[in-house]
Amino acid sequence: MADNLSDALKKLKITAVDSTADSLEGCLDCLLQALAQNNTETSEKIQKSGILQVFASLLTPQSSCTAKIANVIAEVAKNEFMRNPCVDAGLIPPLVQLLNCKDQDVLLQTGRALGNICYDSHEGRSAVDHAGGAEIVIDHLRSLCSKTDPASEKLMTVFCGMLMNYSNENDTLQSQLINMGVIPTLVKLLGIHCQNSALTEMCLVAFGNLAELESSKEQFAYTNIAEELVKLFKKQIEHDKKEMIFEVLAPLAENDIIKLQLVEAGLVECLLEIVQKTVDSDKEDDIAELKTASDLMVLLLLGDESMQKLFEGGKGSVFQRVLLWILSNSHQLQLAGALAIANFARNDGNCIHMVDNGIVQKLMDLLDRHVEDGNVTVQHAALSALRNLAIPVVNKAKMLSAGVAEAVLKFLRSEMPPVQFKLLGTLRMLIDAQAEAAEQLGKNVKLVERLVEWCEAKDHAGVMGESNRLLSALIRHSKSKDVIRTIVQSGGIKHLVTMATSEHVIMQNEALVALALIAALELGKYLYG
């Protein structure tokens, strides 16, 4: 074979000048056979022979050998070390020109060659970009889109792969494809060819590449991508296929319009079904699927319209089922359930309804399960939900009566800044205009000492800011001499003075009101003593 290959390479160089199709074809068959047996070694010999430069002149639409030459280039370009030599040999311009021909075999091999040269190659991509290859390929996809014969579907799969390799992890080239209108074409293609798994997979990978860009989400929102993805998702049995769709859904679901479209297309019911099937499983794939599905559910609830649609006045079946998650033994579901409640609790009406229907006790029970060596993410999520629920004025007294302040104070020992931050925010919301509660908490020496300590947490600006604000709130809402004494004796005054010079106007005002109250209650000596 080695001798045959050497002979073929020599012959190719000679016949390239004055070639007949038959002699060329025999040499190319020999090359393809050698590449099939040992691609790397054969590619090295092809590179050393200088034949790549000869190929550049042979790539013409008129030649009957063009498809085979493009096939040889596609095969050698599977090797990373061959991609730059292909570019340097000037192969890209003639290959891109071949995209204008009508012969399907030439188009297929040319698409393969360009796709392989572009794979992880900056030089390859730049050359294809410079030659205008992407636009021609997108035009082909538009005209082929409705054809369902196997040859056309194979060609579309290759072209989608070529565009993927061309733009992968390159924001500039991805933006270029978006501006060329590739998204509506790919969405249409997915809808028509959803039975073709190879083409579908290629579309999904292309969507995954493009969906990270903000400009793509705006274009996706004007297509029926939500409907197509949900339809495709419902058909999937294999974990890997579901995972591929999830990878497209997650970035798309960051867009509020698409969130609503996904809810209306029935994605939520699919997610709830996955949770139900996987919650008690200890298989790795099922655990991963449970996490992805519940995380995506929480993401859908971040959109105001999608959240309100699922809340349905507190009577929605989706809302009711998600509430049950916090009773689960799965930490992942407890976390997702608490985050979902925090997301539902984004307007007064929802918060009031949830508090009146007993959600607070469920959240306190959840927190109780995580006091000793608890799961930090669950603690953080449950505290977030309680904080949001405490915002409406009518909820504060109810939550205080239910013992929320005491439940929250159990986490005062936490050394985790995210938990500290939410704990402080929840207490501050609870005591707003609640004099009795503010006085009771303000006289709690352990709490006040911890606040003073956290007022110096320079590594955690959020915790430091919330500690200062809670100190000030305890004075402002209690207007109590006992509270002021406790804060003074714990060394809190200096922090209020510092807070009065904060760059945030709200914090300045809160500190000044607290300091004015100290002075008005004839305790001005504490400011100086």
Side-chain angles (χ1 to χ4, degrees):
M1 176 54 78
D3 291 344
N4 289 352
L5 175 63
S6 300
D7 289 346
L9 288 168
K10 280 176 193 165
K11 238 186 224 179
L12 264 173
K13 284 187 117 171
I14 298 161
T15 55
V17 184
D18 184 23
S19 62
T20 61
D22 290 347
S23 58
L24 266 179
E25 202 143 345
C27 296
L28 292 168
D29 285 338
C30 181
L31 258 59
L32 287 167
Q33 203 179 341
L35 283 163
Q37 287 187 357
N38 190 331
N39 193 312
T40 308
E41 198 179 305
T42 305
S43 294
E44 283 171 350
K45 286 182 178 171
I46 287 172
Q47 185 190 0
K48 282 175 188 162
S49 72
I51 204 72
L52 289 177
Q53 283 81 352
V54 175
F55 283 162
S57 62
L58 293 174
L59 285 167
T60 60
Q62 296 79 24
S63 167
S64 59
C65 298
T66 299
K68 274 188 182 168
I69 296 169
N71 188 0
V72 171
I73 296 167
E75 289 301 316
V76 300
K78 286 178 178 176
N79 301 287
E80 189 182 351
F81 67 86
M82 288 299 290
R83 289 171 201 148
N84 281 1
C86 284
V87 176
D88 296 339
L91 293 177
I92 301 295
L95 282 169
V96 168
Q97 280 307 307
L98 287 175
L99 290 172
N100 294 305
C101 81
K102 301 281 183 258
D103 185 301
Q104 263 196 328
D105 194 28
V106 171
L107 287 173
L108 186 79
Q109 299 304 341
T110 302
R112 286 185 63 234
L114 288 169
N116 289 352
I117 292 169
C118 285
Y119 186 80
D120 265 354
S121 165
H122 171 70
E123 290 75 14
R125 291 170 181 179
S126 294
V128 172
D129 177 23
H130 188 69
E135 195 156 10
I136 304 170
V137 168
I138 293 172
D139 285 341
H140 273 301
L141 285 173
R142 277 197 200 102
S143 59
L144 288 165
C145 196
S146 303
K147 295 186 177 178
T148 53
D149 60 285
S152 294
E153 287 195 325
K154 191 175 180 184
L155 184 54
M156 283 186 274
T157 306
V158 165
F159 279 159
C160 283
M162 183 246 153
L163 290 179
M164 187 185 75
N165 287 353
Y166 171 71
S167 65
N168 189 33
E169 293 181 356
N170 186 310
D171 288 359
T172 307
L173 295 178
Q174 286 172 358
S175 296
Q176 181 198 75
L177 294 184
I178 291 164
N179 292 336
M180 288 174 181
V182 75
I183 287 172
T185 304
L186 289 176
V187 174
K188 188 179 172 188
L189 203 145
L190 180 71
I192 295 170
H193 303 276
C194 56
Q195 303 301 331
N196 184 312
S197 61
L199 186 47
T200 297
E201 274 186 38
M202 211 50 91
C203 279
L204 288 172
V205 177
F207 289 149
N209 278 351
L210 298 170
E212 297 291 343
L213 286 187
E214 207 52 49
S215 58
S216 80
K217 295 183 180 92
E218 290 160 19
Q219 278 208 21
F220 275 119
Y222 288 102
T223 69
N224 62 336
I225 184 73
E227 195 184 318
E228 294 297 352
L229 287 174
V230 172
K231 205 193 302 175
L232 190 64
F233 191 83
K234 285 175 179 172
K235 294 177 188 168
Q236 302 311 319
I237 300 161
E238 294 170 42
H239 169 77
D240 290 349
K241 293 280 172 65
K242 286 183 190 171
E243 198 62 36
M244 280 185 86
I245 301 171
F246 272 140
E247 281 172 13
V248 180
L249 287 169
L252 286 181
E254 288 169 8
N255 178 283
D256 282 359
I257 297 169
I258 300 175
K259 280 186 182 78
L260 187 59
Q261 290 170 352
L262 289 168
V263 168
E264 288 171 343
L267 178 62
V268 169
E269 289 72 18
C270 297
L271 299 178
L272 289 171
E273 198 180 316
I274 287 173
V275 168
Q276 202 172 336
K277 282 181 183 170
T278 56
V279 64
D280 297 319
S281 172
D282 53 7
K283 287 187 195 162
E284 206 172 306
D285 281 356
D286 287 345
I287 293 165
E289 230 168 86
L290 175 75
K291 178 172 172 20
T292 309
S294 52
D295 283 350
L296 189 50
M297 184 76 190
V298 172
L299 183 56
L300 291 175
L301 293 171
L302 279 170
D304 288 337
E305 283 187 73
S306 52
M307 177 271 286
Q308 212 55 41
K309 190 174 179 69
L310 295 172
F311 189 69
E312 285 183 71
K315 306 217 167 22
S317 64
V318 172
F319 169 64
Q320 297 296 338
R321 285 172 74 178
V322 168
L323 288 192
L324 297 174
W325 289 1
I326 60 173
L327 308 177
S328 163
N329 289 322
S330 155
H331 282 181
Q332 173 57 33
L333 269 200
Q334 291 171 5
L335 168 64
L339 288 172
I341 292 165
N343 286 346
F344 280 122
R346 286 210 316 280
N347 64 52
D348 283 8
N350 292 6
C351 289
I352 292 164
H353 176 90
M354 285 194 275
V355 169
D356 288 347
N357 284 272
I359 194 67
V360 169
Q361 190 56 53
K362 290 186 177 77
L363 286 167
M364 289 199 300
D365 291 345
L366 177 61
L367 278 173
D368 261 351
R369 293 161 74 179
H370 289 277
V371 174
E372 299 299 327
D373 302 320
N375 182 297
V376 172
T377 55
V378 176
Q379 292 171 359
H380 179 263
L383 288 167
S384 294
L386 287 170
R387 180 199 174 280
N388 287 4
L389 291 167
I391 293 171
V393 176
V394 294
N395 281 359
K396 298 180 195 296
K398 292 173 188 173
M399 291 176 71
L400 286 163
S401 301
V404 172
E406 292 76 10
V408 169
L409 285 172
K410 290 177 187 173
F411 295 89
L412 208 53
R413 291 171 306 187
S414 174
E415 294 302 329
M416 305 305 294
V419 174
Q420 295 166 355
F421 181 72
K422 287 297 176 188
L423 173 155
L424 293 163
T426 307
L427 290 176
R428 188 165 62 78
M429 284 301 157
L430 281 171
I431 64 165
D432 190 8
Q434 306 296 309
E436 196 181 321
E439 180 161 12
Q440 202 179 341
L441 286 172
K443 290 192 291 189
N444 180 328
V445 176
K446 277 187 179 171
L447 169 63
V448 172
E449 284 178 348
R450 195 73 160 129
L451 291 182
V452 170
E453 181 189 332
W454 287 341
C455 280
E456 292 173 3
K458 291 188 170 56
D459 291 343
H460 304 286
V463 172
M464 192 164 76
E466 277 292 345
S467 302
N468 278 300
R469 293 189 77 185
L470 184 52
L471 268 186
S472 157
L474 291 169
I475 295 169
R476 287 183 295 110
H477 297 303
S478 71
K479 299 182 176 62
S480 157
K481 291 184 179 185
D482 290 340
V483 170
I484 291 169
R485 280 193 195 97
T486 306
I487 288 172
V488 167
Q489 284 162 10
S490 301
I493 290 290
K494 64 180 180 183
H495 297 299
L496 291 172
V497 173
T498 305
M499 183 181 166
T501 62
S502 165
E503 60 191 36
H504 303 290
V505 176
I506 291 174
M507 288 179 70
Q508 279 180 29
N509 291 342
E510 288 173 358
L512 291 169
V513 171
L515 292 169
L517 277 167
I518 295 171
L521 291 166
E522 296 177 16
L523 292 163
K525 60 184 177 178
Y526 289 121
L527 285 171
Y528 311 102

